[in-house]
Amino acid sequence: MNGIAPGVKALYREAIKDYAARLADWPPPEVVTHRAEGFNPHCGDALETALHCREGRIAALGFDSESCVVCHASAALMAQVLQGIAVETVPKALESFENALRGHIEWPEVFDEASCLEPVRDFPSRIQCALLPWHTLAMCFHPQPTTACTEEEIPE
Amino acid sequence: MSQSSLAAHQTHTLDIAKIRADFPILQRTVHKKPLIYLDNAASSQKPNQVIEAVARYYRRHNANVHRGLHTLSEEATTAYESAREKVRAFINAAEIAEVIFTKGTTEAINLVASSYGRAHLRAGDEVLITYMEHHSNIVPWQMICEQTGAVLRVCPINERGELLMDEFERLLNDKTRIVAFNHISNSLGTVNPVKRMVQLAHAAGAVTLVDGAQAVPHQGVDVRDLDCDFYAFSGHKMFAPTGIGVLYGKRYLLEQMPPYQGGGDMIKSVSFEKTVYNELPSKFEAGTPIIAGAVGLGAAIDYLNEVGLEAISDYEYGLLTYGTEQLKTVPGLRMIGEAAEKTSVFSFVLDGAHPHDIGTILSHTGVAVRTGHHCTEPLMKFFKVPATVRASLAFYNTREEIDALVVGLGKVREMLL
Ligand SMILES: Cc1ncc(COP(=O)(O)O)c(C=O)c1O
């Protein structure tokens, strides 16, 4: 493709688009015990995460989302990694995801396919898109859930 | 007006090459591509004439205003006050006392909501706004309604993004105290029938505030012809620096209003027992103002007068028509905002592509657009979209740049779909 910088091509290569498309496989579960909304006012990404937690584990999870490719891919990855894990390990998973996404640590093994998100590092404003599903997940366990917001309003 | 711009004015053509040469930033590249700046509704670029006026002020005249007898302070005061006169003439206000400098549109609206609103609104009174307002013309009214017990009413729009004037008339009643609406919508480009709306509001006994942030860069504004009570706008959207804006208000209303902020400049005399407030417009300008910003705004007005706002409107209408046609050729593109009266704003969504992804890819083709809700969340809800891509034009933009946008959208489709 002519005239497009390699960085953008890397961002939108097939792997990430595949993942984004896979989000369709993760609709909200039938039984929902935890739910939270996330919103990125900067770009209009909007996502609702719904969980079914049973016996201390995430038995099922899914999303309602109108978001960009980066956010969708990140959400689909998150679902794949978190399905079935113990609720108490969620904060740790969230922390490692964020650290690896920002390039502070190597991707832990469970995130082996997350490397498709790496090009996001070159787009500071897009990191928030990748973090939105995770912040929304954290909000699900918040004692008083409000909308997870990736940042303060940016005025025109 | 100079001889050459007089000629341009009469034929309504612009020397685009010359105009573009006045804006140094348009020469730069981004991602190794020439910059194509289509985010003018968010903030416009500045011509050398404005940049130089600000620099000259700091190099030669800088001092505080209204406070010193020394030469620099007198020069700074003259520069600041002559900018006020330029604004007065620009919007055809009756006198300079009616021109108050603010930080921008947002502060101007907050000033009226706080000062006029608090003094005049009682429980059960109504404030009428519209569905297509910028957050800055929604939230200050919500806040003052909450404090006073007044009720906020919202006039709906149709699918093309035009106000439903029947509804507007129906919503006006003897409880309506304030009617606030934009002249031109930042998200849709809709030009509202301001004069008619002001007449209707006045007939109902309400005062009117017009948010002119998106109007002043595109067309001549005559506040006395519109007969609006307040008119607010920002310098940075009309080729002047950030940090300076204007509140126009009719003298008799401004005189009734209590000060908005207290401090220096807004007082005549202060003792611990009693403070006497200053005359208009100083009463509403507490503290040291953004003097260089006012100077820059004056220079931007000179520049716009030189180019000619009528020529600008005509030229931009051509861009609007051309752009609307060209964007129609992009498969899957849905235009949000197709008002009969519209300025050169293209808000749209593309099937299967989120605006944020579109914005990122376009940026790497050199095209700067804005993506998001454009501080008009209620409007996005109305059109059932989370966000749009918005290309907003100024008179330095060209058809070739619209072509580049269309080509860029082709690349977006190749990459995403
Ligand atoms: C219609 C409208 N009103 C108000 C504003 C707020 O202007 P400012 O941020 O300069 O105060 C904007 C800016 O985007 C606008 O487009």
Side-chain angles (χ1 to χ4, degrees):
Chain A
M1 209 173 303
N2 277 337
I4 294 274
V8 203
K9 278 194 202 159
L11 180 62
Y12 289 107
R13 65 182 185 211
E14 293 309 317
I16 196 169
K17 288 196 277 180
D18 282 352
Y19 256 100
R22 275 193 234 170
L23 194 70
D25 301 337
W26 298 95
E30 279 179 12
V31 181
V32 175
T33 54
H34 297 72
R35 185 194 295 278
E37 285 176 10
F39 182 55
N40 181 349
H42 183 39
C43 70
D45 277 351
L47 166 123
E48 187 178 274
T49 300
L51 309 178
H52 176 195
C53 296
R54 201 178 54 213
E55 292 161 5
R57 295 193 170 270
I58 297 181
L61 75 166
F63 309 90
D64 250 332
S65 174
E66 271 191 271
S67 300
C68 64
V69 167
V70 175
C71 178
H72 278 180
S74 177
L77 252 156
M78 182 178 95
Q80 186 178 315
V81 171
L82 297 186
Q83 165 101 348
I85 76 160
V87 169
E88 63 190 27
T89 62
V90 165
K92 180 82 185 98
L94 202 160
E95 194 189 319
S96 356
F97 176 82
E98 182 158 354
N99 278 328
L101 180 71
R102 292 186 188 277
H104 302 328
I105 57 168
E106 291 290 313
W107 288 106
E109 217 168 295
V110 285
F111 291 117
D112 56 351
E113 290 181 62
S115 57
C116 71
L117 288 173
E118 261 168 31
V120 172
R121 276 179 212 152
D122 297 334
F123 299 84
S125 71
R126 305 305 299 271
I127 295 217
Q128 300 300 341
C129 307
L131 289 176
L132 185 65
W134 294 82
H135 287 173
T136 312
L137 173 78
M139 196 55 76
C140 284
F141 297 108
H142 197 274
Q144 275 139 1
T146 50
T147 302
C149 210
T150 52
E151 56 202 297
E152 290 305 305
E153 175 64 286
I154 297 177
E156 278 220 333
Chain B
M1 211 181 276
S2 72
Q3 208 54 42
S4 62
S5 64
L6 201 60
H9 184 80
Q10 281 158 357
T11 56
H12 289 188
T13 54
L14 299 183
D15 183 348
I16 295 300
K18 181 166 168 293
I19 285 169
R20 289 182 69 84
D22 287 335
F23 289 80
I25 211 168
L26 299 179
Q27 322 304 321
R28 73 160 278 187
T29 55
V30 288
H31 304 294
K32 305 203 180 81
K33 312 262 167 23
L35 169 68
I36 295 179
Y37 188 76
L38 305 181
D39 193 18
N40 294 286
S43 200
S44 61
Q45 299 305 344
K46 321 303 172 201
N48 280 323
Q49 288 82 342
V50 168
I51 298 168
E52 287 308 319
V54 172
R56 204 177 319 120
Y57 168 77
Y58 279 127
R59 289 211 183 93
R60 283 198 57 82
H61 310 295
N62 178 55
N64 211 328
V65 288
H66 305 142
R67 291 184 197 178
L69 291 175
H70 59 81
T71 305
L72 293 195
S73 177
E74 278 174 358
E75 286 175 5
T77 305
T78 306
Y80 184 64
E81 291 305 326
S82 65
R84 199 190 304 277
E85 166 53 26
K86 286 178 188 177
V87 172
R88 186 209 61 73
F90 183 65
I91 58 173
N92 195 31
E95 46 174 328
I96 53 169
E98 297 180 326
V99 175
I100 293 156
F101 283 128
T102 65
K103 221 157 49 141
T105 311
T106 303
E107 193 185 36
I109 298 172
N110 274 280
L111 191 164
V112 177
S114 293
S115 171
Y116 185 88
R118 192 162 311 146
H120 292 86
L121 290 174
R122 302 281 166 268
D125 286 349
E126 294 183 4
V127 175
L128 177 59
I129 60 171
T130 84
Y131 231 90
M132 62 170 95
E133 297 312 313
H134 189 278
H135 293 166
S136 65
N137 202 22
I138 301 175
V139 183
W141 302 115
Q142 277 174 332
M143 287 164 59
I144 200 69
C145 283
E146 205 160 280
Q147 288 164 25
T148 58
V151 181
L152 190 66
R153 300 265 180 236
V154 186
C155 178
I157 58 174
N158 65 21
E159 288 291 329
R160 290 194 303 275
E162 297 162 325
L163 282 177
L164 295 176
M165 287 303 288
D166 292 352
E167 288 294 314
F168 183 76
E169 279 189 59
R170 205 180 54 76
L171 283 161
L172 287 166
N173 64 65
D174 58 5
K175 290 192 290 243
T176 313
R177 294 283 168 273
I178 302 171
V179 185
F181 49 90
N182 61 43
H183 194 155
I184 295 179
S185 154
N186 64 309
S187 294
L188 306 171
T190 308
V191 184
N192 285 314
V194 172
K195 202 168 166 174
R196 173 99 188 106
M197 293 168 78
V198 169
Q199 279 168 356
L200 290 168
H202 284 169
V207 303
T208 48
L209 177 141
V210 180
D211 169 356
Q214 297 295 342
V216 283
H218 300 292
Q219 58 181 59
V221 169
D222 181 335
V223 290
R224 276 189 284 175
D225 179 53
L226 295 175
D227 197 28
C228 55
D229 300 290
F230 299 103
Y231 196 93
F233 59 96
S234 301
H236 70 98
K237 296 184 198 276
M238 54 175 285
F239 320 105
T242 52
I244 184 81
V246 171
L247 172 68
Y248 157 82
K250 285 182 180 163
R251 177 191 266 277
Y252 83 97
L253 290 168
L254 293 173
E255 272 175 351
Q256 291 167 18
M257 287 159 55
Y260 170 55
Q261 292 177 333
D265 266 349
M266 54 74 70
I267 39 82
K268 249 186 192 149
S269 72
V270 175
S271 72
F272 288 114
E273 290 71 41
K274 182 163 173 54
T275 289
V276 180
Y277 302 134
N278 211 335
E279 316 266 315
L280 288 172
S282 301
K283 179 170 120 181
F284 291 108
E285 292 180 8
T288 301
I290 171 148
I291 307 161
V295 169
L297 177 58
I301 289 173
D302 288 343
Y303 186 80
L304 284 170
N305 287 337
E306 177 78 21
V307 178
L309 272 160
E310 226 167 301
I312 288 174
S313 297
D314 284 0
Y315 175 74
E316 290 183 356
Y317 183 74
L319 289 181
L320 171 67
T321 320
Y322 181 75
T324 308
E325 285 301 314
Q326 294 307 304
L327 286 168
K328 271 190 196 149
T329 66
V330 178
L333 183 141
R334 172 182 158 215
M335 194 71 80
I336 305 286
E338 297 179 292
E341 295 290 327
K342 197 181 153 176
T343 48
S344 45
V345 170
F346 307 107
S347 241
F348 58 86
V349 290
L350 203 54
D351 275 349
H354 188 275
H356 208 183
D357 295 316
I358 300 172
T360 297
I361 296 171
L362 284 179
S363 170
H364 282 74
T365 68
V367 178
V369 294
R370 177 142 184 210
T371 61
H373 56 49
H374 319 297
C375 300
T376 53
E377 273 187 67
L379 197 58
M380 299 294 118
K381 291 215 173 80
F382 175 83
F383 285 103
K384 300 193 180 61
V385 293
T388 71
V389 180
R390 181 187 69 188
S392 55
L393 276 46
F395 62 93
Y396 41 66
N397 290 125
T398 63
R399 291 182 178 216
E400 290 71 29
E401 290 180 312
I402 292 173
D403 294 341
L405 169 66
V406 172
V407 170
L409 289 170
K411 296 208 166 111
V412 167
R413 289 178 43 83
E414 269 177 58
M415 291 190 84
L416 292 180
L417 306 180

